[in-house]
Amino acid sequence: MDDNIEILGTCLYLKKEKALVIADLHIGYEEYLNKTGVLVPRFQFGETMEALDKLTDGRDFQTVIINGDLKHEFGSISRTEWRQTLRILDYLSEISEKIVLVKGNHDTILGPIAKRRNLKTVDEYQLGKYFFCHGHQMPEVIPSNSTLIIGHEHPAVGIRDGVRTEVFKCFIEGECEGRRIIVMPSSNPVVEGSNLLRDKILSPVLKGCELKEFKVYVVSDKIYDFGRVRDLL
Amino acid sequence: MLTYKKEPDKPSQVFKILNPLVERWFMSKFKELSLPQRYGVLEIHSRNNILISAPTGATKTLTGFMAILNELADSAQKGILEDRIYCIYISPLKALNYDIEHNLMEPLEEMEKIHGEELGIRVAVRTGDTTAAEKSRMLKKPPHILITTPESLGILLSSIKFRENLRGVQWVVVDEIHALAENKRGVHLSLSLERLEELSPHITRVGLSATIAPLEEIAGFLVGSKRPCKIVDVQFIKEMDLKVLSPVPDLIDVTQRDMHDKMYKLLHGLIQQHKTSLIFTNTRAGTERVVHFLKDKFPGKYVGNIGAHHGSLSKEHRHGIEKRLREGKLKVVVSSTSLELGIDIGYIDLVVLLGSPKSVARALQRVGRSGHQLHSTTKGRIIVLDRDDLVECSVLLKSAIEKKIDRIHIPKNCLDVLAQHIVGMAIDRDWTEKEMLDTIRQSYCFSELKRTEFEGVLSFLAGEYTSLEDRHVYARIRRKDGVIKRRGKLGRVIYMTNIGTIPDQSGVAVKVGKQKVGTIDEGFLERLRKRDVFVLGGDTYEFRYARGQVAHVEPTRHKPPTVPSWFSEMLPLSFDLANQIGHFRWMMEDMFRNGASKEEVMQFINNHVYVDENAASSIYKYFREQWDYKEVMPTEKTILVEHFKDEENNKMLFHTLYGRRVNDVLSRALAYGISKTTRKDVGVGINDNGFYVELGKKMEIMPAFKLLKSDELPELMKQAIDKTEVLKRRFRHCAGRALMILRNYMGRTKRVGRQQMSSHILLSAVKKISNDFPILAEARREVLEDQMDIDSAAEVLRRIESGEVEIKEIDTNLPTPFGMTLAYQGKIDILRMEDRQEFLKKVHQMLLAKINLQQARKNKR
C-alpha cells in the first residue's frame, strides 16, 4: 500500500505510529446467531484470540485502534460475552500503551464496556495522516490529505477459475473524490464477508466511488496483490 | 403379511353391508359398483388395512370413503354418532383437501335429502390456512371426518388440547400416497402415523395411490414394518391410447427454426382436434414459452382459452385456471409438473407430453389425467424433440404399454426428520429411550434404524456436543437415566412453528428492475461475477449484482454466455427405464453386428417399440450412424469410453446410460479418484446418458476408473462430496428440519439468505465437532441416496466387476452420434481437490501473468 503500512493478517500495522488497526471483530456473533434460533456451537472467541496472538507475534504497539463493531450486539449481553469482550480489551492493553475504540453501527452499548476499563469511545479518530471511522455513515468533515481507513463493508472477493469459485477476505484501496481510502476486512474468523464482485456496496463512504479501479489485497496464508477489482471481473 | 387381493367381492356382498339409506343414495347416482369399490369397500368396512392403486378418476376416493360414510350415516340414523373424529384424511395438497371436502359434502347433502332430515355428520378441513375461529370451533365440536395435510397432522399431534380429539380414531386415509412416499414429507408422515397409533391403537390405514411400483413397498410404507395390509392393483383398468410423435421425419437434418415451426404446428393440430388438452413441459420456463408461442404463431386462436399452471405462479392464478378448467372454459392448459396430482380438473380428452417425462410411472400418472371417467380411454401423446428423446420415449412407451413400471425410492433412516419427531414426542410426554425407539422402529422408514444412530440423535438433541455450561442454549430435550423429557418453556412453540420438511424455497430470484424473470440456484449465484452472461428460460441475461436472495440482471441479445446454463429443474431419468433403453440398444447392436438389412432392422423397430414410420426411420438412422462410425455401441452390456479430443476439447466421455442420479455418483467418484493422486481440480459434466471428465494436460483416467469398486463406493463418495455445493445446500435443509436453524423464532421469520449464511457457519462449526455429526451425516445420506442414487451406481460397478458389463475404449476427434450432446454440454461441477491456498496461488500467478502481458503491450505502443 505504502511504505508505512504493513498488512498483518486481517489487520493493519502503521509503522511510524506503531499502531495496530483492527476492524469488525463482532465478538458474540455466534451468541447472536444462537439468539436468532441457530444452534451454532461457539468457536469464535478461541479462534479470535489465537489469530490475534499469531499476528501480533510478541510485538508491542503504541496504539491499538479498534475501527468499529468490536461487539456484535443484539438485545441483552450475556455474562460470557461481557467476559470475552473484557478479555480481548485486556489482552490488547497488555501489548499496547493506548486503546482507541471507534464506534460502529453495532456498538450502541459499547459505552458500558469501555467504562469498565476506563476507555473512551469516539466516532472518528485522526492519527498522523490517517483518519479512521467505521464507515456506516459519512463523516461530516475529513481533513484534506488524510487517508481514510474504514471497516463495515467486510470486503471479500470470489476468486474464480473455471467452475470453481472460492471467496477470500481482502483489503481494498483506491482513490475516491481525490481522497485515498482503505477498506479493511472483518477480523472475525466466522464471518466470510460480502463478495465485492457480486454484492451491492453497503457503506455510504464508498457510494459513487469507482470501485473497479480499487486495488485488491487478498488475505490468506499471506497477502496476495491481486491488481485491481476490474482485473478480477 | 402383505397380500394381494386377487378377486373382487361380489356386488351383493358389498351391498349387504350398506345401510339402506346409503344404498339408495348410491343407486340414485351410479348404476353399479366400480371395480375399485368391489375390491375395497368391504375390506375397509372390516377394518383391514388396504392399499388401492388405480388411475385418477377411477372412483378411488369414493372407494376410500364409502364404508366410512356408510358407518357414519348408520350411526347417525341410530342416534349413536358421537362427537369425535372417526376418520382422518391426509393428502399432500391443500387444494386437494378442499376438493375432497366438497366431494364429501355433496353425497352427505344428497343423503340428507333422501333421508328427509339432517344427519349431522361434520366434515372439516384443517391446514395452515385454517383460521383461529375455525380451529376453536373444531376443538369444541370435532368433525367426524378431518381432512388435513401431513404437516398439519404433525402440529395437531403435539397441540395440548386438540391431541385429545385424536384418541380412538378408526380410520386414516392417505391419498396420493405415491407422491408422499418418495420424499421426506412421507418420512415425516410415517412417524406421525406411529404417533397417531399411540393415541388410536389399531387404527385402520387406507392408502390411495396412482400408478406406482413396487406396491409392496408402498403398502409397507402405509402400514409400517410389522402390520398386515391388503393390496389392490387396478392400475390398468382404463384403456390406453398412447403414441410417440416426431414433428419432423428426420430429427437431425432440420434447422432449429424449422423444428420449432413444425413442433408448434403439430401441437396446434392436436389441440384443435380435441376438446380440452393438457400439456406438460417439465420446466416452468418451458410452460411460459409454449403459451407464448402458441399465442404468437396462431393469432386469434388462443385468446382467453389458454392458461399456464406452474409452481411459481400465484395461488390465485392457479386456482383461477383450475376453476376455468372445471367449467370447461379452457381449450388448453400448459403445466410444468404442478397438475400431476389429482385435483379435480374436469374433462380432459388429451394429454400431451413435450419431451420425455423420464419415468414410466410419471408418464402414466400424467396421461392418466385424461379421460377422467372410469370408462373413458386415456389418451396421451409424447412429442419428442431430439433423437435421444425419441429413443427414450419409444422405450418408455413400450414399458408403459407392457406395464413395466419403474421402482420408487423411499428415503430411509432420515435423522433430521427423526430429530424433529423426537422433539415432538418429548413434548407430548416422557418416554424411556427403549419405548421411544420401539415406537420409531414401527415406521417403515425407520424399521432398520440402528441404536447408535438413535442415540446419536438423542445426544445431539440433548446438546451434549457443547460444554455443560452452554448446554441450556443447545438442548431441545432433557435426557437423563434413559428417560427423555421435554425441555424449556419455549419448546412447544419452537416445535409447532418450525415443523415440516419442505425447505424454504432456496431459489434466488432473478430480476430485471422490479420484474422477476425466473429463479436460479444458490450454488449458481455463488459462481456469478458482475457482467457474467447466462441463459435462463431461453433468454440471455447479464448479471449486475446480488442483494440477499435477489440477482439483478439486464437482458442482453448479442453476448454469448460466459457461464454454462443451469439445469437444476431437470427431471432425472429413472434407473429402471435407463436399463430398458440399454437393453434396446443391445438388441439393435446385435442386429447391426450380424449384418441385418435396413428392412430387417426397421421391421424389428416396428415390432419392438410402438412408434410411427417417421419415428422408426429416425431411430434407424441414429443407430446406423453410431454403428457405422466406429462399429461400436454403448449398450446394457457395454460401457463405451470415448476419448474425444479436438482443438478445444480434451474429454473422456463415458457412455453410461443409467440416468443422471447414477452418473452423478460415477462421475464424482472417478473425478475424485483422479484428483486424489494429482491434487488438481477435475471438471465433470453429466446427463442421463453418460458423463464426461475433462482432462488437464496429462492424466491417466482409465486406471482410476478401473480402481472404482462397488464395496468402496460409499466411503469414496463420502469424501468426494465433502466440499461440494450440493452438500452445503442439503445441510441447510437438514439443519432446518432438525431444528438446528429455526425459520421462525421469537416472532421473526428468517429469510432464506440468512438461513443460508447461518448454515455455512454452522456447517464448518459442526465439522470441527465431528465429521459424523448426525445432521451432517444425514445431509450426506440425502445427497447420496435421495438426490443421487449410490445404490444403483454400486450395482453398475458390480456388473463391471462380474464381467456382465464390459468396457470398450475408442479415440475420436469428432464425438460419436450418441456422445454428441454430452460432449458439447457445460460442466456441472468441479471436484475441489486442490487446496484452497494452492488454488489461490495458481489464480494469482495467472492474473499476474495477464497483467504483465497487458503492461508489456501498453509499453510497446
Side-chain angles (χ1 to χ4, degrees):
Chain A
M1 289 188 183
D2 66 38
D3 289 346
N4 191 44
I5 301 183
E6 185 187 343
I7 299 179
L8 291 179
T10 51
C11 304
L12 285 180
Y13 177 57
L14 309 179
K15 292 177 190 164
K16 204 172 86 198
E17 294 78 4
K18 287 190 80 177
L20 177 71
V21 193
I22 308 170
D24 296 284
L25 269 168
H26 289 266
I27 298 167
Y29 186 66
E30 289 161 343
E31 283 81 356
Y32 154 76
L33 287 176
N34 292 161
K35 284 173 197 158
T36 64
V38 182
L39 298 188
V40 57
R42 297 163 193 174
F43 290 100
Q44 181 195 337
F45 182 70
E47 288 177 9
T48 303
M49 289 302 279
E50 215 173 281
L52 280 178
D53 228 25
K54 206 175 137 201
L55 71 92
T56 54
D57 193 28
R59 287 187 224 212
D60 280 321
F61 304 94
Q62 193 89 50
T63 318
V64 169
I65 299 161
I66 304 212
N67 204 4
D69 289 356
L70 169 67
K71 173 81 195 65
H72 193 93
E73 277 162 23
F74 183 73
S76 59
I77 308 181
S78 74
R79 226 175 335 159
T80 324
E81 292 171 79
W82 265 100
R83 211 169 51 216
Q84 291 181 347
T85 312
L86 292 173
R87 262 184 66 191
I88 288 209
L89 288 177
D90 290 346
Y91 171 86
L92 292 173
S93 62
E94 259 172 47
I95 58 167
S96 72
E97 315 262 299
K98 179 184 174 192
I99 294 179
V100 176
L101 290 177
V102 179
K103 263 192 270 182
N105 52 318
H106 276 279
D107 290 326
T108 42
I109 43 175
L110 183 66
I113 293 179
K115 230 177 188 171
R116 282 270 192 109
R117 290 293 181 266
N118 273 325
L119 298 170
K120 276 202 189 110
T121 64
V122 294
D123 284 320
E124 40 202 55
Y125 186 69
Q126 179 93 33
L127 184 64
K129 58 170 184 166
Y130 305 102
F131 183 86
F132 300 90
C133 67
H134 180 58
H136 58 297
Q137 53 196 26
M138 193 71 195
E140 277 174 29
V141 199
I142 307 168
S144 52
N145 296 327
S146 288
T147 294
L148 180 58
I149 299 182
I150 65 167
H152 186 63
E153 192 67 41
H154 300 197
V157 282
I159 302 293
R160 185 169 78 179
D161 181 35
V163 188
R164 181 170 176 177
T165 302
E166 294 279 346
V167 179
F168 290 89
K169 288 181 182 179
C170 66
F171 287 84
I172 54 171
E173 180 203 18
E175 296 266 328
C176 188
E177 287 163 14
R179 184 177 294 106
R180 181 173 172 229
I181 302 180
I182 297 172
V183 188
M184 300 176 65
S186 161
S187 281
N188 180 313
V190 171
V191 174
E192 197 176 59
S194 66
N195 187 345
L196 287 174
L197 308 180
R198 204 193 69 184
D199 301 345
K200 209 171 184 178
I201 288 295
L202 300 169
S203 171
V205 175
L206 297 174
K207 278 246 164 75
C209 297
E210 196 58 52
L211 279 186
K212 273 195 300 192
E213 296 304 321
F214 273 50
K215 288 182 186 160
V216 179
Y217 301 91
V218 166
V219 181
S220 180
D221 56 327
K222 53 176 188 144
I223 305 302
Y224 294 84
D225 180 343
F226 257 86
R228 291 174 193 271
V229 172
R230 65 171 142 82
D231 296 323
L232 287 167
L233 284 169
Chain B
M1 278 168 298
L2 305 174
T3 46
Y4 275 88
K5 180 162 175 163
K6 291 270 162 53
E7 292 292 323
D9 298 310
K10 290 196 192 81
S12 59
Q13 289 173 295
V14 179
F15 282 121
K16 207 156 74 190
I17 61 125
L18 290 189
N19 168 291
L21 172 61
V22 178
E23 186 177 350
R24 259 171 68 200
W25 165 78
F26 186 85
M27 294 315 287
S28 74
K29 296 272 287 188
F30 309 97
K31 285 195 278 302
E32 54 179 11
L33 289 166
S34 70
L35 202 54
Q37 285 159 357
R38 283 176 55 200
Y39 272 105
V41 174
L42 209 52
E43 299 292 344
I44 298 169
H45 174 78
S46 315
R47 307 293 197 274
N48 291 328
N49 296 333
I50 188 167
L51 172 69
I52 301 169
S53 176
T56 320
T59 67
K60 233 182 331 184
T61 316
L62 185 56
T63 305
F65 276 117
M66 199 142 104
I68 298 165
L69 284 178
N70 180 54
E71 193 129 329
L72 293 179
D74 195 60
S75 296
Q77 275 189 312
K78 290 178 182 151
I80 53 169
L81 189 67
E82 294 172 39
D83 271 343
R84 61 184 184 85
I85 298 172
Y86 285 79
C87 167
I88 299 176
Y89 165 94
I90 299 157
S91 91
L93 289 179
K94 275 188 224 164
L96 196 52
N97 282 341
Y98 292 104
D99 235 38
I100 294 293
E101 183 190 25
H102 174 79
N103 290 343
L104 283 177
M105 292 312 290
E106 204 178 69
L108 283 172
E109 278 162 19
E110 287 161 355
M111 280 181 212
E112 286 177 343
K113 223 180 204 167
I114 298 173
H115 185 51
E117 61 180 293
E118 278 188 16
L119 289 167
I121 298 171
R122 290 186 299 273
V123 179
V125 180
R126 174 87 176 222
T127 68
D129 297 342
T130 308
T131 62
E134 287 170 314
K135 284 178 192 169
S136 89
R137 212 175 306 137
M138 262 179 234
L139 192 63
K140 279 185 214 126
K141 261 193 180 306
H144 300 108
I145 298 177
L146 176 69
I147 298 172
T148 190
T149 58
E151 290 72 20
S152 290
L153 176 64
I155 291 172
L156 291 178
L157 280 166
S158 283
S159 82
I160 309 176
K161 292 179 201 149
F162 202 89
R163 192 177 152 75
E164 290 311 306
N165 283 330
L166 298 178
R167 293 190 191 277
V169 177
Q170 310 215 0
W171 295 276
V172 57
V173 180
V174 184
D175 201 355
E176 305 278 0
I177 192 169
H178 62 281
L180 283 168
E182 65 182 354
N183 55 45
K184 287 195 171 175
R185 290 184 80 194
V187 176
H188 187 270
L189 175 64
S190 84
L191 280 177
S192 288
L193 290 177
E194 293 312 323
R195 288 171 65 192
L196 179 62
E197 186 96 22
E198 273 263 304
L199 298 171
S200 301
H202 308 296
I203 191 168
T204 304
R205 305 187 186 200
V206 178
L208 306 174
S209 164
T211 315
I212 195 83
L215 290 179
E216 294 86 346
E217 278 221 44
I218 302 289
F221 170 79
L222 173 67
V223 299
S225 50
K226 294 197 184 89
R227 303 180 190 93
C229 185
K230 299 212 172 170
I231 299 172
V232 173
D233 180 0
V234 281
Q235 300 188 105
F236 292 96
I237 49 172
K238 283 214 250 181
E239 291 240 355
M240 286 192 294
D241 167 12
L242 307 178
K243 278 199 183 93
V244 170
L245 303 177
S246 166
V248 288
D250 187 333
L251 282 161
I252 191 81
D253 276 335
V254 61
T255 63
Q256 197 61 35
R257 165 173 292 237
D258 202 26
M259 177 71 190
H260 191 77
D261 285 346
K262 294 268 169 55
M263 198 276 279
Y264 279 99
K265 228 171 132 185
L266 174 63
L267 198 55
H268 176 64
L270 286 169
I271 296 167
Q272 293 305 319
Q273 285 157 26
H274 294 83
K275 191 170 163 290
T276 309
S277 303
L278 171 58
I279 301 171
F280 284 102
T281 59
N282 289 352
T283 65
R284 292 164 189 183
T287 297
E288 296 289 353
R289 219 161 37 235
V290 169
V291 171
H292 170 77
F293 281 118
L294 279 176
K295 283 183 177 173
D296 195 50
K297 283 180 185 284
F298 308 97
K301 293 283 183 194
Y302 298 98
V303 183
N305 60 355
I306 185 167
H309 193 286
H310 60 72
S312 301
L313 293 166
S314 70
K315 204 161 67 180
E316 291 73 31
H317 177 94
R318 278 179 287 148
H319 288 174
I321 295 289
E322 288 158 22
K323 186 162 167 277
R324 281 162 66 204
L325 252 181
R326 272 194 297 271
E327 291 165 355
K329 286 183 182 153
L330 291 179
K331 184 91 191 146
V332 55
V333 173
V334 191
S335 169
S336 53
T337 54
S338 53
L339 282 175
E340 270 170 15
L341 290 185
I343 323 156
D344 182 12
I345 47 173
Y347 181 75
I348 303 277
D349 54 349
L350 176 72
V351 170
V352 181
L353 311 183
L354 270 186
S356 170
K358 299 285 171 187
S359 104
V360 182
R362 186 177 296 108
L364 287 170
Q365 286 160 19
R366 286 181 176 181
V367 299
R369 304 305 317 249
S370 75
H372 215 118
Q373 284 106 24
L374 185 50
H375 297 291
S376 55
T377 304
T378 283
K379 190 166 181 183
R381 297 290 178 264
I382 309 179
I383 298 182
V384 296
L385 304 171
D386 63 46
R387 302 198 290 184
D388 284 326
D389 216 22
L390 169 62
V391 175
E392 189 173 304
C393 291
S394 303
V395 176
L396 181 148
L397 191 74
K398 178 183 169 66
S399 299
I401 290 170
E402 292 172 2
K403 303 174 188 175
K404 281 185 207 143
I405 304 166
D406 22 39
R407 289 164 298 163
I408 190 176
H409 161 75
I410 301 179
K412 302 249 174 78
N413 296 337
C414 307
L415 302 183
D416 54 349
V417 178
L418 178 64
Q420 193 183 102
H421 266 290
I422 290 177
V423 173
M425 291 165 87
I427 288 168
D428 297 344
R429 65 175 175 90
D430 298 351
W431 299 74
T432 67
E433 289 185 14
K434 187 183 176 308
E435 68 176 328
M436 189 179 245
L437 181 59
D438 287 345
T439 301
I440 289 163
R441 279 186 181 158
Q442 297 275 319
S443 150
Y444 183 78
C445 301
F446 292 95
S447 61
E448 286 153 25
L449 181 71
K450 291 195 197 92
R451 190 166 185 106
T452 50
E453 290 174 313
F454 173 65
E455 283 174 355
V457 173
L458 290 182
S459 166
F460 148 67
L461 287 173
E464 288 166 16
Y465 57 100
T466 55
S467 69
L468 211 53
E469 182 196 4
D470 289 339
R471 203 161 287 172
H472 66 281
V473 178
Y474 299 89
R476 296 275 185 239
I477 57 167
R478 223 175 265 281
R479 182 189 190 204
K480 211 182 161 199
D481 306 326
V483 177
I484 309 297
K485 297 178 177 200
R486 74 194 175 100
R487 169 149 204 163
K489 280 173 281 180
L490 281 174
R492 188 186 300 271
V493 181
I494 288 175
Y495 178 71
M496 300 290 248
T497 49
N498 287 282
I499 207 167
T501 59
I502 306 171
D504 281 351
Q505 188 65 37
S506 63
V508 175
V510 180
K511 287 186 177 173
V512 175
K514 283 184 176 158
Q515 176 78 29
K516 186 175 162 182
V517 293
T519 50
I520 52 172
D521 206 90
E522 287 160 18
F524 189 59
L525 177 67
E526 260 172 51
R527 290 182 202 161
L528 288 180
R529 291 190 296 200
K530 285 172 189 168
R531 304 205 194 297
D532 265 339
V533 177
F534 64 98
V535 179
L536 178 70
D539 294 311
T540 318
Y541 298 99
E542 183 175 299
F543 175 63
R544 308 301 302 200
Y545 62 90
R547 195 93 183 87
Q549 290 297 101
V550 180
H552 293 271
V553 300
E554 274 171 21
T556 63
R557 285 208 173 266
H558 308 294
K559 293 184 185 167
T562 55
V563 282
S565 47
W566 190 248
F567 302 104
S568 68
E569 249 191 304
M570 273 173 126
L571 297 167
L573 177 66
S574 83
F575 184 62
D576 292 337
L577 178 56
N579 282 317
Q580 295 290 334
I581 301 168
H583 182 63
F584 176 69
R585 281 182 172 184
W586 175 74
M587 286 189 288
M588 290 287 282
E589 187 208 27
D590 198 47
M591 300 209 71
F592 286 116
R593 187 178 301 288
N594 292 318
S597 67
K598 180 175 179 182
E599 289 67 38
E600 285 169 316
V601 180
M602 286 291 286
Q603 178 82 41
F604 165 75
I605 296 172
N606 279 322
N607 286 343
H608 190 75
V609 290
Y610 310 88
V611 293
D612 65 9
E613 208 54 30
N614 264 355
S617 89
S618 269
I619 293 176
Y620 172 77
K621 219 173 144 195
Y622 191 28
F623 278 75
R624 180 90 247 172
E625 283 168 18
Q626 174 73 22
W627 179 255
D628 287 350
Y629 188 47
K630 291 265 175 182
E631 300 216 334
V632 63
M633 204 173 269
T635 69
E636 65 172 339
K637 298 195 173 151
T638 306
I639 290 177
L640 178 64
V641 181
E642 186 175 338
H643 189 168
F644 161 54
K645 203 172 167 182
D646 67 8
E647 275 155 21
E648 279 161 27
N649 294 285
N650 189 8
K651 291 173 175 168
M652 281 300 229
L653 309 179
F654 287 75
H655 293 255
T656 46
L657 202 174
Y658 300 111
R660 75 178 62 231
R661 286 177 68 215
V662 171
N663 289 337
D664 215 353
V665 177
L666 293 177
S667 62
R668 285 171 197 272
L670 175 60
Y672 182 73
I674 298 165
S675 55
K676 214 160 57 166
T677 47
T678 60
R679 308 308 300 173
K680 291 273 180 283
D681 296 346
V682 179
V684 293
I686 59 165
N687 65 20
D688 284 322
N689 295 5
F691 66 89
Y692 71 74
V693 173
E694 196 164 45
L695 303 170
K697 279 159 247 156
K698 278 220 165 215
M699 279 191 219
E700 282 290 329
I701 295 217
M702 287 320 285
F705 187 63
K706 281 166 188 159
L707 276 178
L708 295 183
K709 292 285 170 269
S710 55
D711 53 344
E712 292 162 7
L713 193 61
E715 190 49 40
L716 186 71
M717 282 306 290
K718 180 177 165 184
Q719 294 166 25
I721 61 166
D722 194 47
K723 291 175 191 162
T724 55
E725 311 282 351
V726 287
L727 184 67
K728 271 197 219 166
R729 186 160 53 250
R730 296 290 175 144
F731 177 79
R732 168 167 79 75
H733 299 169
C734 294
R737 293 187 196 103
L739 309 179
M740 247 195 140
I741 297 176
L742 302 178
R743 273 173 296 162
N744 299 303
Y745 188 54
M746 307 291 268
R748 286 160 185 264
T749 303
K750 244 188 271 356
R751 283 179 293 114
V752 183
R754 281 228 159 265
Q755 291 177 32
Q756 191 191 335
M757 204 173 71
S758 312
S759 94
H760 284 189
I761 295 169
L762 185 59
L763 177 58
S764 63
V766 153
K767 274 185 179 167
K768 285 174 200 159
I769 292 170
S770 159
N771 203 26
D772 294 309
F773 196 82
I775 307 311
L776 177 57
E778 171 55 26
R780 271 194 216 109
R781 191 210 59 77
E782 188 176 320
V783 169
L784 294 176
E785 295 178 15
D786 301 350
Q787 181 180 348
M788 301 178 193
D789 183 357
I790 194 170
D791 288 346
S792 302
E795 162 68 21
V796 170
L797 291 181
R798 269 194 296 277
R799 289 179 197 169
I800 298 171
E801 286 154 17
S802 72
E804 189 187 327
V805 169
E806 66 168 334
I807 296 165
K808 287 184 188 158
E809 293 174 57
I810 54 168
D811 289 322
T812 57
N813 44 30
L814 188 71
T816 61
F818 284 6
M820 199 67 86
T821 323
L822 183 62
Y824 295 119
Q825 97 173 23
K827 276 185 282 236
I828 51 134
D829 206 351
I830 194 147
L831 265 283
R832 299 180 186 212
M833 278 308 296
E834 204 168 43
D835 178 76
R836 215 170 110 92
Q837 274 171 21
E838 288 301 316
F839 172 78
L840 181 68
K841 274 182 197 154
K842 183 184 76 188
V843 181
H844 185 228
Q845 277 160 9
M846 281 169 9
L847 184 79
L848 289 187
K850 195 176 102 186
I851 293 172
N852 284 339
L853 196 71
Q854 283 166 354
Q855 210 60 46
R857 274 197 201 130
K858 242 187 225 163
N859 292 344
K860 245 185 193 170
R861 257 179 248 151

